[in-house]
Amino acid sequence: MMSTDLYSINTELKEVKRLVGSYQFQISNKREDLDRLERALTELELTKGDYYETEDECSKPEFTPKTFHGDQAKGLTSLKEEELRPSFALISEEQITKAVEKIREQIKLLQEQIGNLGSSITSLESQQRSLNARKQEVKN
């Protein structure tokens, strides 16, 4: 229904402005979330390589009574076999890949939401121009 009185037009304009502001605020928040997710994804992918290099380094050193004094070699070998290796096994390639996929899905979802909000703002701004034109007609 097209408003023809100034009060109704002003009320509609106020609502359109409120919605535009709300959508702009949502876009801002979603862009911040998007930035955080993109940084997290980059860090995860960089860390993934470091992680596997560290795993290799932790499992490579062999400790013998010749390289370490007597029982200390047994203690370090035990630490490596009983604690370090199982710790690395807990985080599998599959888990890291799933985390990367989930982050990418969330990034895509946020990008779509930002796009939809942007389209809504464009539509509201068009509505706002139309209301302003009608407001001028009613005033004259």
Side-chain angles (χ1 to χ4, degrees), residues 16-138:
V16 166
K17 287 178 185 177
R18 185 194 67 77
L19 285 172
V20 168
S22 172
Y23 292 170
Q24 287 171 335
F25 180 73
Q26 289 178 48
I27 286 175
S28 175
N29 287 338
K30 289 183 187 300
R31 282 193 176 135
E32 287 175 14
D33 292 345
L34 183 61
D35 288 344
R36 278 194 294 276
L37 282 174
E38 287 173 339
R39 280 194 310 274
L41 181 61
T42 300
E43 288 176 28
L44 181 58
E45 288 175 336
L46 291 173
T47 304
K48 182 170 121 177
D50 293 344
Y51 172 79
Y52 290 110
E53 285 175 24
T54 304
E55 178 184 16
D56 287 343
E57 289 172 16
C58 286
S59 60
K60 276 184 187 174
E62 294 298 324
F63 302 111
T64 65
K66 288 182 179 180
T67 57
F68 255 67
H69 181 44
D71 287 342
Q72 291 177 349
K74 286 181 193 172
L76 284 173
T77 299
S78 173
L79 171 73
K80 180 178 73 171
E81 295 301 321
E82 293 172 16
E83 294 182 32
L84 289 178
R85 205 175 289 261
S87 294
F88 281 104
L90 289 175
I91 302 176
S92 68
E93 173 76 24
E94 184 180 331
Q95 288 174 309
I96 293 173
T97 300
K98 283 183 181 178
V100 166
E101 286 172 5
K102 283 183 181 181
I103 292 172
R104 285 190 175 135
E105 286 171 15
Q106 285 301 308
I107 286 173
K108 184 178 177 187
L109 179 65
L110 282 169
Q111 288 170 334
E112 288 171 4
Q113 291 173 343
I114 289 169
N116 291 340
L117 286 166
S119 295
S120 294
I121 288 173
T122 300
S123 175
L124 286 168
E125 287 171 341
S126 173
Q127 184 180 352
Q128 187 175 13
R129 285 189 297 277
S130 173
L131 286 166
N132 280 325
R134 278 196 286 153
K135 183 177 175 179
Q136 287 305 314
E137 288 173 12
V138 170

